[in-house]
Amino acid sequence: MKNLVILSVLLFLNSSILAQIGVGAKKPANAQMLFDGSREMLDEKWTYWEGPRLKASLPIKWQIVIDPVDRGYAMNSNDPAAAGGLYGAADIITKQEFRDFRLHVEFLVQNEGGNSGVYLQNRYEIQILDGDYGLHGMAAIINEHLPTIQAYNGTGKWNAYDITFRAARFKNGKLTEKARVTVYFNGKKIHENKEIQQVWGGPNSGQDGGNDGGKGITDRPGGIKLQAEGHDVLYRNIWIKELKIKNPKTDF
C-alpha cells in the first residue's frame, strides 16, 4: 500500500511538470503572465531595450497579429527598425528584471531562415534560427552548447521553450559561480544544467556584452529580452515564475 501511495505521488508530480512544458502549457497559479496576446500587456510589461544600437522609439512597433494556427493573438518581432538583421535596434525587454526563474516562451517562425532569440537576463541567448542546428542555430545556448535533440516543429508551427535559469553568483563583488540553465524544447529536454560562460555578440547584443568581450558579467538582474532581426517570428503565451535556487542545479 505504501509503495502504491509513493507511486501515485510520483506520477502526480511528473504529470504536473509535463502539464507545464510544451506548446500550450498553462501558467501555474504562482507564475506571472508576461504576454497574453494583448496590446495592453505588451505595453504594460515590455519596452525597447536601450542598447547602443537602439533605433526604435515607443510605443513598441511590434504588431499584434491574429494567431495563424490557433485562436487568439500573437506579436510579430518584425520591427521595421531592425530590417536587415540589425539586432539591438528594436529588441524588446521586460520592464521587470529577474535573477533565478522558470520561463515559458512560445514562438512561430513564419518563413524559412527566420531569426530571433530569447535572452535570459538580457545576457544569455537561446537562439531561434530556422534551418541552422549549429552552435549559432536553433535552440543552441548560443556559441556554447548544442541541443541534444532536434525538436523543432518547423516553419508555420508553434514551438515552446521551457527554461529554468539560475543567475551567476558573486561574493564581495567577484564572480564565484557562472549562470546555469536547463531547457526543454517542445517538451523534450535539450540542455541539462549547462553552465554559461559569457555574453556573445558584443555591446549590441545585451547587458555586459561590452564588458571584457562579454566575459565581464556583473551582479545585477536583467529582463527577459526578445530579439528583433527583421523577420516574421511570432510570440505568444509567455510566463515566468521567480525562483530562489540555492544550489547550482537547474534540472527539472
Side-chain angles (χ1 to χ4, degrees):
M1 182 66 181
K2 182 178 179 181
N3 289 338
L4 287 174
V5 171
I6 294 172
L7 179 60
S8 297
V9 170
L10 290 174
L11 288 172
F12 171 76
L13 291 173
N14 188 51
S15 64
S16 297
I17 292 171
L18 292 175
Q20 294 174 10
I21 62 173
V23 175
K26 293 184 178 180
K27 178 185 75 66
N30 56 357
Q32 173 192 174
M33 185 63 75
L34 293 177
F35 180 67
D36 61 0
S38 70
R39 182 76 217 186
E40 292 75 14
M41 188 167 287
L42 175 59
D43 290 333
E44 174 192 353
K45 298 196 174 184
W46 300 78
T47 189
Y48 283 120
W49 174 51
E50 295 183 3
R53 190 186 270 172
L54 177 65
K55 294 186 180 299
S57 59
L58 295 171
I60 293 171
K61 304 304 186 297
W62 293 33
Q63 296 297 307
I64 302 298
V65 298
I66 295 174
D67 188 325
V69 176
D70 302 312
R71 293 181 179 180
Y73 296 90
M75 60 177 167
N76 188 340
S77 66
N78 194 357
D79 192 300
L86 205 62
Y87 67 87
D91 298 348
I92 64 170
I93 189 169
T94 56
K95 296 176 182 178
Q96 183 176 349
E97 296 184 328
F98 304 94
R99 290 190 184 275
D100 303 346
F101 54 81
R102 160 80 164 86
L103 176 68
H104 177 87
V105 178
E106 296 185 20
F107 66 90
L108 181 150
V109 181
Q110 287 197 308
N111 306 304
E112 291 185 3
N115 192 350
S116 184
V118 178
Y119 280 73
L120 315 178
Q121 284 198 319
N122 188 20
R123 288 187 175 96
Y124 314 107
E125 182 182 7
I126 310 299
Q127 175 70 295
I128 296 173
L129 179 55
D130 177 75
D132 187 332
Y133 293 97
L135 280 174
H136 200 269
M138 181 65 74
I141 301 173
I142 201 160
N143 293 333
E144 295 195 26
H145 300 289
L146 288 169
T148 57
I149 300 171
Q150 294 184 11
Y152 179 43
N153 287 331
T155 58
K157 297 179 181 179
W158 284 104
N159 298 270
Y161 286 154
D162 288 279
I163 299 164
T164 295
F165 174 81
R166 183 179 186 267
R169 288 334 198 227
F170 293 78
K171 186 174 183 179
N172 298 324
K174 294 185 178 181
L175 179 68
T176 57
E177 297 178 53
K178 294 182 179 178
R180 288 182 174 271
V181 68
T182 293
V183 181
Y184 284 75
F185 189 17
N186 293 326
K188 298 177 180 179
K189 189 185 294 183
I190 60 167
H191 299 292
E192 183 175 328
N193 200 36
K194 294 296 187 181
E195 188 177 78
I196 312 177
Q197 300 301 313
Q198 67 172 87
V199 179
W200 296 91
N204 295 319
S205 182
Q207 181 171 238
D208 296 333
N211 293 343
D212 189 22
K215 297 181 177 66
I217 304 301
T218 56
D219 186 16
R220 62 162 289 185
I224 304 304
K225 190 175 74 176
L226 305 177
Q227 193 175 59
E229 290 219 39
H231 296 265
D232 293 311
V233 178
L234 312 185
Y235 288 94
R236 72 176 189 186
N237 191 24
I238 304 174
W239 48 260
I240 194 167
K241 178 183 177 182
E242 292 186 83
L243 303 173
K244 292 182 179 180
I245 304 176
K246 183 178 180 180
N247 298 316
K249 295 180 181 179
T250 59
D251 193 25
F252 69 108

